[in-house]
Amino acid sequence: MAHIGPSGFSPYPVAVYEGVLTPPPGKALMFNEIVDEEIAMREAAKAMLTRQNPTIFPGPQVLYAWNEEAKEKAKLVRKMAEVLGAKIIPMYDYRPKYPKINPAIEINPNHPNLTIWHNKIKACIFVGVHCHYANVALKIIRAETDCFTIAMCSMAGHEDAMITLRDQHVEEMEKFIKIAEEVKKELGK
Amino acid sequence: MSYKIYKINEELKDFMPKEIIDLEEKATWGNPKRGVMDLPYTKELIEEHSLCAGCPESMALRYIIASLPNPEDTIIVNSTGCTSLVFPHIALHTVHSLFGNQNAVASGIKRVLEWRFPDKVKDVVVLAGDGATVDIGLDCTLQSFFRQEKITTICFDNEVYANTGGQESGLTVKGHVFKMAPKGKQWDKVPMWQLAIDSGCHYVARLTVSSPKRVEQVIKKAIYVAREVGPTYVHLYTPCILEIGLNSDDGLDEMRARDKERFAFFEYMTPQAEEVINRIKEEGLL
Amino acid sequence: MQATETILYNRAGQRVVSPDYLLFEAPRTKHFMTGSEAVKEAVKRASVDASVSYPITPQSEAAHLIGELWVEGYVGVYFRGESEFGVMSEIAGCAMAGARCITTTSGPGTLRAMENFPMWAGTRIPVQLVLMARGINSPLSIQPDNLEVSFLLDTGCMIWYAETAQDLFDMILAGFVVAEQPDVHVPLITVVDGFFVSHTREAVMLPPDDIALPPYNPYRAPMPVIDAEVPPGRFLRDPFVMKSNYISYATHASWQWEVRAAIERSRPYAKHYLRGLVEHFGDPEADLVFVACGTASAQAKEAVRLLEDEGIPARVVKLKTIRPFPIEELREAVKGAKYIFVPEFNVVGWLEREVRRYLYGHSNAEIIGAPRVAGGMTMPAEVIVKEVLKLTGKEVKHVI
Ligand SMILES: Cc1ncc(C[n+]2csc(CCOP(=O)(O)OP(=O)(O)O)c2C)c(N)n1
Ligand code: SF4
Ligand SMILES: [Mg+2]
C-alpha cells in the first residue's frame, strides 16, 4: 500500500490509484515496494512481535475443514499465533450480522475497524479470507485505524495491506513461522 | 453432501463463537426427515433477523428452512424485499441479486450445478415477495416455468410492497387502499397459483403459514418434485402486519381467518408429480 | 486455495494448453471468416461452461454458432433466455455457480440488460460479454453505431475493443485469462462494431482446434462460489449493505472502490496477453495522430496511407482497452503531437471525451473530435483525410 489517506472524495483509500498493484509471482509487497518474499516475511514478523495486541484474523478458508490444505493451514495458524504471541479472532463469515457483532471475539468485513478499535490492535494478519472481502475490509482498516495490516493470501495478494504475501500455501506458511521464530530470537523475546 | 463446509478445524475451534459451533454440532445435516418438529431441539439455520416483531414472513422462513430435505446442498435465490433482510442470517449458500430477476438467476445456477455435479443432488429454491414474483419479476418467473427449470419457487404473498413502505401490488385485493392506489385498487388480485399451473408447474400449492406441519409437507413435496420432474410453485400468505395495522401477535389470527377464504388450502399436481410424491411417502420422507 | 492440479484434457476432450501457448506459440493456419465465426472459433478453444442467448441483429449469428458448439459438446450449458435482462441474470447465475461464461448482445439488448452489468461487477463474476455494437432506439436502427458503449463505461466492467475478426478471436481467449485472475475477476465486455466486423469476411489465423484453455477454477474466485462446496456455509451473495442493515456506509464505498481497483489490477495481465494496451501504426515521428478504437482505427490506418501519398506524415494510436483506459500509454504516445483526431462511430464522441479527460494537462496538442459518423454510415478514409486537410488548409484533388 502507499500512503494512508483519502482517495478522491471517498474516505477509503485505494492503493491502485496511487500506482500500487499486487506483487508479481514470487515477490511480495511492502508498502509501495516490491520486495523478496523473505524480506517481507521478516518485516511482517517484526511488526507482529513489536506492536501492541497483535492479532491473526483467520477467514473461512482456514477455519473450516473443507479440504486437506485447510486442515493443515489451521494447524499452522495456531502455531503462528503461539510464535508471534498473537490473539486469534475469526472472520468466520461475511454476513452483515444482526443485531451487532461482538468486537471482542469476532471481526466482520463490513466494519472490521470496530474489532480493531475495541481490542486496540496495532498489527494483524489476514489469512484464509476470500480476496474480495479481504480487500473491502483492508481499505476500511487503512482509512479508519492505525493498524499495521499483513495479508497472507493464497492468491495474488492485497495491495491495500501494508505487507502482502502472495501464493501462501502450507510450505510458505511454514517458512513464515520459521522466520518468525528467528526474528523473535533476534529481538530477544 | 457438503457438510464439510460447516465443520470447524479442531485447532481453531476454541476461537469460534457458540452459534457457529452449534451450527456444526447441533443443526440437522444429512437427514432428509428433518422438519418443523425439530425446531425446539436443534440449532436453527436462521440466526436472529431484523424483520418486524411477529412478521409472518419470519415464521414462514423458519418453517421452510427447517423443512428443506437437503439443506447442506440447497441454494436459495432471493430478491429485494423484506425477506432479503433475513437472508444474511441463513446458514446456507444464498443469492440476493436484483429485484425481480430471481428465477433467471436460479435457472443459471441450477443448470450449471447439474453440469458441474452430475452425481450430486443440488436443490435450488427461489424465495421472494409478491412484488418480486408477480409484478416486476413475472416474466422471469413464468419463463422459468415455461422452460421447465427444475427449481422450486416460493412466493411470500403479503399483498403489498412492504419493504418500500406499503404500495399496492398485483396481489393486493381489489378495493384495498394502499399507497399508489389512493382510491383503492381498481383490479382483481392476480391468481398466481393458476398462472403457475397454466405455465407448466408440476406441483402448485396455495396456503397460509398458520400450520407449520402443513408448510413442511408442501415444501418437501415441492422440492422433491422439482428435483425430478420440473418447476414447482408454492404460494404462501404471509400478511404484512405492519401495513395492515395489526399487532405483532395478530399474524396467526389473520392467517387463520384467511384459511377459510381466499387462502383456503389448494393443491395441484401433475401425474408425474403424484408418482414422485407417492414414492417419497412410501420411503417415509413425507 | 488448492495448489493447482494439472488437467490434461477438458470435458470436450481437447488437450489443455497454457494461455501463452494457445495465444502466442501454437502454429496457426489461415482461414477466411466473419467476426461471428471468429467468436465460434474462440469459444471452441476456450473450455466454456455456459452461454445464454437472445436474438438481436447483428449478434444473433455468433449466438447461434455458440449453440452449435453446445450440440457438439464444446459448451456445457446453453439456452435461449426470455429477454436480455433475463439472459444477463441467467448468465450471472451460471457464473456464480462456478461456470466460465460467455454471452453476446447488441444495442437495444445492451440497454435492456443494463441493470445487470454493475451487478455482475459487484458480485465479481468474470463473465465475458461480446458486444456487437449497433444503434440504439429511437429511432430503431440495426446499423453499426457504438453509442451504447458510452453507457457501459462506468459499470465496473472491463471494456476491450477489437478492430478485426482476428482481434476478436484473440481478445476473447485473452479475455477469459485476464478476467479470471483472482485479483481481477470482474466482467469483460469485448466490443466490436456490428456488421463491419461481425458480418465481414477476412483472413483469420487460428491455432488448431484440438487444444484449449485450461478450464476455469471457481475456487480461485475472490468470492465464495455458490455451490455449497466452499465455506462459509452461511453466505449471502450479495447482501443489502446500508447503515440501517447494521453495517457501515464504508462497506458500499469500499466495495465500489474494490471493483474499480480490480479493473486497474488487470493492466499487467492485459498488457501481456494483448501485447500492449495500445497499438501504433504509421510514422512514429508524425505530429498528426489519430486516436481511435475498433473500425475507426482501421479506417484511420487507411487515412494515414492516403496522407502519406500527400506528403503528410500521420500515425494511429489504436486503443485496445477502454476500461482500464491506457492512460500512460496514450500520454506517452502523443508526446510531440500537434493535432489529435478522434474519429468515432457515434454522435456524442464518448471516446473524444475520454481522450480529453486523460490528456488534460499532459498534452498541448489540439484535440479534434472528428470525423464522427453514426446511424450506420461508413467512415471512408477520404472523409478522415478531408478533416485533416480542412485543418492544414492543403488542397488535394482526389479527395471527395
Ligand atoms: C429495479 C427496482 N425497482 C424497485 C426497487 C424498490 N423495491 C425494493 S423492495 C421493493 C418491494 C418488494 O416487495 P415484495 O416483493 O412484495 O416484497 P416484500 O417487501 O413485500 O416482502 C421495491 C419496490 C428495487 N430495489 N429495484
Ligand atoms: S414491513 Fe411487513 S412484511 Fe416487512 S417485516 Fe414488517 S411486517 Fe413483515
Ligand atoms: Mg410483498
Side-chain angles (χ1 to χ4, degrees):
Chain A
M1 70 133 240
H3 310 288
I4 292 201
S7 178
F9 284 111
S10 167
Y12 299 95
V14 187
V16 292
Y17 284 95
E18 293 151 13
V20 181
L21 292 181
T22 42
K27 293 285 179 180
L29 186 69
M30 221 163 81
F31 293 94
N32 50 2
E33 231 184 299
I34 291 166
V35 298
D36 286 341
E37 184 180 78
E38 199 159 321
I39 295 176
M41 283 183 170
R42 290 189 73 80
E43 287 305 312
K46 206 157 128 197
M48 291 293 282
L49 286 161
T50 55
R51 292 173 182 252
Q52 277 174 351
N53 302 315
T55 305
I56 300 175
F57 299 131
Q61 295 184 96
V62 296
L63 288 167
Y64 301 97
W66 65 298
N67 62 26
E68 291 311 310
E69 186 175 357
K71 292 178 199 168
E72 281 307 305
K73 281 186 165 182
K75 289 181 195 142
L76 294 171
V77 167
R78 186 75 192 248
K79 188 148 177 230
M80 205 187 294
E82 280 159 24
V83 173
L84 297 171
K87 270 217 268 195
I88 292 178
I89 296 184
M91 185 184 283
Y92 52 82
D93 64 34
Y94 308 129
R95 75 187 199 259
K97 189 177 177 182
Y98 182 78
K100 62 185 170 90
I101 64 150
N102 176 352
I105 61 157
E106 57 191 325
I107 180 163
N108 184 292
N110 301 296
H111 35 55
N113 46 330
L114 300 184
T115 301
I116 289 172
W117 287 339
H118 180 92
N119 299 291
K120 301 187 172 56
I121 296 168
K122 302 293 177 191
C124 72
I125 296 178
F126 272 66
V127 57
V129 178
H130 280 89
C131 294
H132 175 82
Y133 290 95
N135 281 331
V136 166
L138 283 162
K139 289 182 202 354
I140 298 174
I141 294 173
R142 196 182 144 192
E144 300 273 359
T145 79
D146 59 357
C147 182
F148 190 105
T149 51
I150 298 154
M152 200 167 272
C153 176
S154 62
M155 301 293 160
H158 305 286
E159 71 284 329
D160 275 297
M162 280 137 217
I163 291 181
T164 186
L165 301 168
R166 59 170 294 164
D167 300 312
Q168 298 296 295
H169 299 284
V170 169
E171 202 181 302
E172 289 77 12
M173 285 172 77
E174 281 168 346
K175 177 174 156 191
F176 175 71
I177 291 171
K178 231 163 120 202
I179 289 178
E181 279 166 342
E182 284 166 25
V183 175
K184 195 174 175 182
K185 235 183 253 154
E186 285 163 24
L187 291 168
K189 292 212 170 197
Chain B
M1 71 157 184
S2 311
Y3 166 65
K4 61 177 194 248
I5 67 175
Y6 300 93
K7 228 173 118 31
I8 303 163
N9 277 316
E10 280 308 318
E11 293 78 10
L12 298 175
K13 214 164 188 169
D14 298 350
F15 308 97
M16 291 290 246
K18 187 168 183 312
E19 64 181 84
I20 303 296
I21 295 174
D22 283 353
L23 213 49
E24 176 188 352
E25 295 176 352
K26 297 191 181 142
T28 40
W29 303 116
N31 174 13
K33 292 188 178 169
R34 65 197 292 276
V36 292
M37 301 309 275
D38 303 338
L39 278 173
Y41 312 106
T42 58
K43 170 70 179 170
E44 278 193 67
L45 301 184
I46 303 184
E47 285 294 337
E48 289 170 274
H49 60 76
S50 57
L51 295 187
C52 298
C55 173
E57 282 194 354
S58 67
M59 300 179 209
L61 265 162
R62 293 179 68 185
Y63 303 157
I64 291 167
I65 303 293
S67 308
L68 299 173
N70 185 28
E72 55 279 354
D73 276 310
T74 301
I75 310 295
I76 309 191
V77 182
N78 177 229
S79 194
T80 320
C82 283
T83 53
S84 47
L85 299 180
V86 185
F87 273 75
H89 320 298
I90 296 179
L92 302 175
H93 276 197
T94 60
V95 175
H96 166 262
S97 181
L98 300 172
F99 184 43
N101 72 346
Q102 59 280 351
N103 282 60
V105 171
S107 302
I109 292 176
K110 178 69 188 184
R111 287 183 184 229
V112 164
L113 293 181
E114 270 190 354
W115 153 253
R116 286 187 57 213
F117 302 99
D119 306 324
K120 263 190 186 178
V121 173
K122 300 263 184 194
D123 295 319
V124 176
V125 177
V126 174
L127 210 158
D130 50 313
T133 308
V134 185
D135 285 344
I136 196 168
L138 183 65
D139 187 21
C140 291
T141 308
L142 294 186
Q143 296 273 354
S144 75
F145 299 164
F146 300 157
R147 287 195 305 265
Q148 294 288 296
E149 303 286 353
K150 291 178 154 181
I151 55 182
T152 297
T153 303
I154 304 171
C155 174
F156 278 20
D157 181 8
N158 54 11
E159 307 192 311
V160 68
Y161 286 95
N163 198 239
T164 35
Q167 296 86 5
E168 171 209 273
S169 86
L171 292 190
T172 300
V173 291
K174 190 172 178 176
H176 195 99
V177 175
F178 270 138
K179 287 154 199 151
M180 298 192 182
K183 291 184 174 180
K185 192 182 181 213
Q186 303 289 307
W187 40 287
D188 282 328
K189 181 179 175 76
V190 176
M192 185 59 204
W193 45 90
Q194 190 56 47
L195 292 184
I197 293 170
D198 295 344
S199 307
C201 282
H202 291 268
Y203 174 83
V204 175
R206 179 195 64 204
L207 62 158
T208 76
V209 296
S210 62
S211 158
K213 197 66 201 160
R214 194 167 59 199
V215 173
E216 177 186 326
Q217 293 286 312
V218 163
I219 294 301
K220 284 184 172 166
K221 287 180 198 169
I223 288 177
Y224 282 115
V225 172
R227 203 185 271 180
E228 293 190 34
V229 188
T232 58
Y233 178 72
V234 177
H235 192 103
L236 298 176
Y237 180 50
T238 54
C240 173
I241 49 176
L242 184 82
E243 292 298 342
I244 57 176
L246 299 178
N247 292 326
S248 30
D249 51 359
D250 289 341
L252 190 55
D253 287 342
E254 164 63 20
M255 291 191 283
R256 283 188 176 141
R258 301 307 152 223
D259 276 335
K260 299 186 189 80
E261 27 149 291
R262 63 177 188 275
F263 283 99
F265 182 65
F266 165 82
E267 203 178 39
Y268 160 91
M269 62 191 81
T270 60
Q272 296 130 288
E274 197 168 5
E275 228 173 81
V276 172
I277 289 169
N278 287 338
R279 198 189 68 232
I280 55 170
K281 256 187 203 151
E282 275 165 34
E283 288 168 12
L285 296 174
L286 257 187
Chain C
M1 183 78 203
Q2 293 284 43
T4 29
E5 45 184 315
T6 343
I7 297 163
L8 296 180
Y9 294 93
N10 68 9
R11 287 173 70 163
Q14 293 162 298
R15 190 163 58 85
V16 167
V17 296
S18 74
D20 281 84
Y21 181 80
L22 186 62
L23 280 162
F24 304 135
E25 293 158 29
R28 292 201 176 201
T29 51
K30 197 173 193 173
H31 300 259
F32 194 53
M33 62 177 62
T34 64
S36 304
E37 286 161 353
V39 172
K40 176 183 182 181
E41 295 303 325
V43 173
K44 191 176 189 181
R45 293 160 177 80
S47 306
V48 167
D49 297 303
S51 184
V52 189
S53 61
Y54 193 81
I56 187 168
T57 307
Q59 61 82 52
S60 300
E61 192 194 352
H64 307 164
L65 295 173
I66 297 173
E68 285 180 14
L69 290 175
W70 171 63
V71 174
E72 293 163 21
Y74 290 99
V75 171
V77 168
Y78 176 87
F79 62 102
R80 177 195 56 80
E82 59 271 56
S83 69
E84 289 84 357
F85 175 78
V87 165
M88 302 309 160
S89 293
E90 277 135 15
I91 206 80
C94 291
M96 289 182 211
R100 174 176 293 158
C101 299
I102 191 164
T103 184
T104 51
T105 195
S106 296
T110 305
L111 272 78
R112 179 66 59 99
M114 201 67 186
E115 193 186 0
N116 284 278
F117 301 131
M119 176 273 280
W120 284 5
T123 199
R124 302 297 298 269
I125 48 176
V127 169
Q128 187 163 179
L129 167 66
V130 175
L131 190 84
M132 297 184 154
R134 79 172 242 195
I136 51 176
N137 307 39
S138 279
L140 184 145
S141 167
I142 63 164
Q143 298 296 333
D145 181 309
N146 68 14
L147 177 57
E148 60 184 290
V149 177
S150 71
F151 293 86
L152 296 168
L153 293 175
D154 298 308
T155 48
C157 299
M158 293 189 287
I159 300 175
W160 292 1
Y161 216 121
E163 176 192 346
T164 59
Q166 181 73 62
D167 260 9
L168 183 56
F169 173 84
D170 291 324
M171 276 191 178
I172 289 173
L173 291 170
F176 286 120
V177 180
V178 174
E180 290 167 7
Q181 295 295 329
D183 53 340
V184 179
H185 226 275
V186 284
L188 169 63
I189 300 175
T190 311
V191 189
V192 286
D193 294 306
F195 291 106
F196 295 142
V197 179
S198 60
H199 285 59
T200 308
R201 252 171 230 290
E202 57 176 283
V204 181
M205 301 296 291
L206 300 179
D209 66 0
D210 58 351
I211 55 173
L213 286 181
Y216 175 55
N217 178 357
Y219 300 118
R220 288 170 56 78
M223 255 195 218
V225 56
I226 296 294
D227 64 2
E229 299 286 338
V230 54
R234 186 193 311 272
F235 179 61
L236 171 58
R237 187 177 174 158
D238 304 295
F240 270 38
V241 293
M242 329 177 220
K243 191 127 189 190
S244 58
N245 299 99
Y246 30 88
I247 60 175
S248 66
Y249 295 128
T251 310
H252 196 271
S254 183
W255 194 303
Q256 293 278 308
W257 275 121
E258 167 55 15
V259 168
R260 272 78 199 167
I263 296 179
E264 293 301 310
R265 289 185 208 112
S266 74
R267 285 180 192 277
Y269 304 110
K271 259 182 217 166
H272 175 74
Y273 289 108
L274 295 178
R275 300 232 147 125
L277 305 187
V278 300
E279 181 191 307
H280 302 277
F281 178 88
D283 180 350
E285 303 297 319
D287 57 12
L288 187 114
V289 184
F290 297 103
V291 178
C293 58
T295 309
S297 53
Q299 295 307 93
K301 287 176 187 174
E302 279 307 310
V304 166
R305 289 189 190 105
L306 292 180
L307 286 165
E308 201 180 327
D309 293 345
E310 302 299 337
I312 301 175
R315 59 194 167 104
V316 178
V317 179
K318 169 177 132 184
L319 309 182
K320 298 187 213 172
T321 66
I322 305 296
R323 290 288 181 270
F325 196 83
I327 304 171
E328 292 309 320
E329 288 86 346
L330 181 64
R331 287 177 185 165
E332 187 60 38
V334 301
K335 272 195 183 140
K338 272 204 190 120
Y339 302 108
I340 296 172
F341 284 84
V342 187
E344 288 186 68
F345 281 92
N346 66 76
V347 295
V348 302
W350 57 260
L351 185 59
E352 183 207 338
R353 289 202 292 247
E354 293 288 307
V355 169
R356 281 187 189 282
R357 170 182 172 193
Y358 290 110
L359 290 185
Y360 184 78
H362 291 269
S363 168
N364 294 323
E366 188 177 340
I367 298 172
I368 303 134
R372 225 176 257 170
V373 299
M377 292 178 192
T378 56
M379 188 192 286
E382 290 80 0
V383 169
I384 305 179
V385 170
K386 202 174 163 190
E387 288 293 337
V388 173
L389 297 181
K390 244 192 339 210
L391 191 89
T392 57
K394 196 173 170 204
E395 189 75 44
V396 178
K397 296 157 291 301
H398 81 262
V399 170
I400 33 165

